[in-house]
């Protein structure tokens, strides 16, 4: 009986110490969260994400991710940064067009669309468009690979 009471008292004392002790980290390592006011550090428990879609604004869709020429991409994106999402939320979105000479497109809103009508996709082939979320510093991205016939 005495032994059981002693173990119980020791368990309660250890639990009280853990509850009342402040959190600490090794020197130079930040604690999780964003207490510095910097927009580049992610908030605790909030992961950035981005979704995008690609459509052909000139030609027709021949099947899933397969389009006819002429092809002029319409890219739509929606990103979630720091728990917020929408047209009025500031973001840094970069859209790249692999396989073409089309320059990177930069957007400053979390949700939007853009149509690119220059004839950069005038040959058949396999291409890739990627949208990157660059506000959070965690680099969420979404890509679409498609074929032009």
């Amino acid at each position: 009986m005495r032994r059981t009471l002693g173990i119980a008292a020791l368990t309660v004392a250890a639990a009280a110490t853990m509850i009342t002790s402040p959190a600490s980290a090794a020197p130079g390592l930040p604690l999780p969260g964003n207490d510095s006011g910097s927009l580049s550090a992610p908030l605790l428990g909030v992961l950035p994400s981005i979704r995008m879609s690609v459509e052909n604004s000139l030609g027709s869709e021949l099947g899933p991710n397969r389009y006819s020429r002429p092809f002029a991409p319409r890219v739509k994106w929606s990103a979630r940064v720091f728990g917020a999402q929408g047209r009025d939320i500031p973001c840094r979105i970069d859209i790249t067009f692999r396989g073409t000479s089309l320059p990177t497109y930069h957007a400053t809103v979390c949700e939007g669309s853009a149509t690119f009508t220059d004839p950069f996709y005038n040959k058949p082939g396999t291409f890739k468009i990627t949208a990157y979320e660059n506000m959070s510093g965690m680099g969420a991205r979404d890509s679409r690979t498609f074929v032009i016939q």
Side-chain angles (χ1 to χ4, degrees):
M1 180 80 164
R2 237 184 218 181
R3 186 174 180 185
T4 304
L5 287 175
I7 291 174
L10 183 59
T11 303
V12 169
T17 302
M18 286 188 279
I19 292 171
T20 60
S21 297
S24 62
L29 295 178
L31 291 173
N34 183 9
D35 61 351
S36 66
S38 167
L39 289 178
S40 63
L43 294 175
L44 185 61
V46 179
L47 295 176
S49 63
I50 188 166
R51 291 185 326 258
M52 67 168 282
S53 64
V54 175
E55 300 169 351
N56 188 356
S57 66
L58 292 178
S60 59
E61 186 173 351
L62 303 174
N65 301 314
R66 188 172 297 278
Y67 303 98
S68 68
R69 289 179 284 162
F71 181 80
R74 178 181 299 120
V75 179
K76 296 178 184 178
W77 67 90
S78 179
R80 179 174 294 276
V81 181
F82 305 120
Q85 181 176 9
R87 290 191 173 279
D88 299 328
I89 306 299
C91 277
R92 285 195 325 244
I93 306 295
D94 294 331
I95 300 173
T96 61
F97 305 88
R98 194 164 143 203
T100 73
S101 59
L102 193 63
T104 299
Y105 177 78
H106 304 283
T108 58
V109 292
C110 283
E111 190 174 297
S113 66
T115 301
F116 306 91
T117 57
D118 290 335
F120 289 96
Y121 294 97
N122 53 11
K123 295 180 182 177
T126 301
F127 301 92
K128 184 177 189 176
I129 297 177
T130 304
Y132 297 92
E133 175 281 312
N134 289 316
M135 185 79 164
S136 69
M138 297 182 73
R141 68 177 172 213
D142 192 12
S143 299
R144 293 294 176 269
T145 301
F146 54 93
V147 174
I148 298 174
Q149 295 181 327

